[in-house]
Amino acid sequence: MIFTIILIISISLYIIEYVILYYGSYLSRIIPRVTNKISNPKVSIIVASRNEELNIESCIKSLILQTYPNNKIEIILVNDESEDLTLQIMEKYEKQYENIHIISTYLEDSDVRGKARALAQGIDSATGEIILLTDADCTAHKEWVSSIISYFNDGVDIVGGFTVIKGSNIFSCVQQLDWIHLQTMSSSGMALGYPLGIIGNNFSFKKECYDAVGGYRGIPFTVTEDFALFEEMRKKNYNGIYPCLTEASITTLPCNSLMSVMRQKQRWSRGGSKMDSHGYIVLFIAFMMMISFTISPFLSVSDWVMVWSVKFICDLAVMIPTLGRLKLLHQLRYFLLFEFYFLFQALVVPFLLTQKGVIWKGRVYES
């Protein structure tokens, strides 16, 4: 009897959660844009790179081709102690384009380190009113800057955009659906006023807000520096939005192995452990559903089918509008694989969290 009650509670909570998320996802797709700006603000795009010789050129080219006025964009390329040809490739473009500048990281007397240090030192030299962050393994839609900037107004200080994994095979397409699912939840939560997080490779904010919280040097070190900065800005009551729009999206490369995915999830989970109560509610409901998956086969086949059916239907209902907005509905052919992939992650990541060190860009961090 007790197991049946747990099953009913879990399923009910999951349905309620996803009805709320569906509504939030709808709100994220109708966020108004500013279309009558007299002038375009100057923007600074920061790209922190460590050993990215295979990717940095594609990233730079996508930034050069932006439709936003060229004289209003500065591209700051940060070389974070690269040991390959990353710096040489950067220098080639710096010589060709006046608005491209290179910063090489240096040691400093502060707790900031890793990617957070690279970003902090890049932003130090930024002259734009708006800061846009992306990664070297990303390529931006040609309307990316224009679209992101169109969302900023007096009441919007932070804008997140969707990041789409480049799908070239089954493994990468499943990762793509996984990212879409996570970002749909984050975007929905933001629209409802209960932010769950933001993706650092498509993260923008007003420079004055960054300065007001002390930037990356003003927050404790973490392996998810983007989430920590976002949380600090929220504490200062700066407002953020997370619109779902193809033109405001960027494309990034998938992890090339399952171990890489697990390390990525471990890092995200470590950083996410500092989220607020709303995030823990989402985790609790997910945990309850995991219990339901575990006990339902021992109750009856119908109970097992019911649990899976609820999860499938809820996930599909929330993801389909987002996939349609991003012109990725054809990826639903991998949806069933994604569901099992998601379940596998949920089972494995908690064990990874018992490991002390986090491996990231060839460096090992203890937190």
Side-chain angles (χ1 to χ4, degrees), residues 149-161:
I149 296 303
S150 71
Y151 285 104
F152 278 97
N153 56 49
D154 292 339
V156 175
D157 307 297
I158 307 162
V159 178

Side-chain angles (χ1 to χ4, degrees), residues 161-356:
F162 272 69
T163 298
V164 179
I165 291 280
K166 184 177 181 180
S168 56
N169 54 41
I170 293 176
F171 185 47
S172 61
C173 288
V174 171
Q175 290 181 62
Q176 183 185 84
L177 289 177
D178 185 33
W179 277 51
I180 295 297
H181 178 253
L182 289 173
Q183 290 178 89
T184 298
M185 295 180 71
S186 297
S187 175
S188 174
M190 189 91 82
L192 292 167
Y194 304 109
L196 300 174
I198 205 161
I199 298 291
N201 55 20
N202 195 350
F203 179 26
S204 57
F205 43 83
K206 293 176 180 176
K207 177 73 157 45
E208 62 186 54
C209 300
Y210 175 84
D211 293 335
V213 301
Y216 286 110
R217 296 181 183 88
I219 57 179
F221 174 76
T222 171
V223 290
T224 51
E225 76 297 323
D226 45 3
F227 180 76
L229 180 63
F230 171 67
E231 285 292 290
E232 198 63 30
M233 289 180 173
R234 281 187 57 218
K235 291 176 184 176
K236 297 289 186 180
N237 296 317
Y238 291 119
N239 297 316
I241 59 173
Y242 202 147
C244 180
L245 182 71
T246 300
E247 291 78 9
S249 69
I250 60 117
T251 302
T252 191
L253 297 175
C255 293
N256 56 17
S257 69
L258 189 57
M259 180 55 69
S260 296
V261 171
M262 292 299 104
R263 285 177 176 169
Q264 182 184 71
K265 296 291 184 179
Q266 178 201 24
R267 182 168 65 87
W268 289 359
S269 298
R270 280 284 178 86
S273 63
K274 298 178 176 63
M275 61 188 156
D276 63 18
S277 59
H278 303 104
Y280 281 107
I281 290 172
V282 172
L283 285 180
F284 172 74
I285 294 173
F287 176 72
M288 291 291 288
M289 278 298 283
M290 292 303 300
I291 292 177
S292 296
F293 283 125
T294 303
I295 65 175
S296 60
F298 298 99
L299 297 178
S300 69
V301 173
S302 60
D303 287 330
W304 182 80
V305 171
M306 180 174 61
V307 172
W308 275 106
S309 297
V310 166
K311 188 176 190 315
F312 279 19
I313 293 170
C314 288
D315 290 353
L316 267 176
V318 166
M319 290 176 65
I320 283 177
T322 302
L323 289 169
R325 181 78 160 177
L326 298 174
K327 302 174 183 177
L328 292 170
L329 279 173
H330 59 282
Q331 297 298 61
L332 282 174
R333 56 188 165 172
Y334 300 108
F335 179 76
L336 185 60
L337 285 175
F338 155 70
E339 289 288 279
F340 287 103
Y341 169 85
F342 186 85
L343 181 60
F344 171 78
Q345 287 182 68
L347 293 171
V348 173
V349 170
F351 292 100
L352 293 176
L353 289 175
T354 61
Q355 300 179 9
K356 292 184 178 180

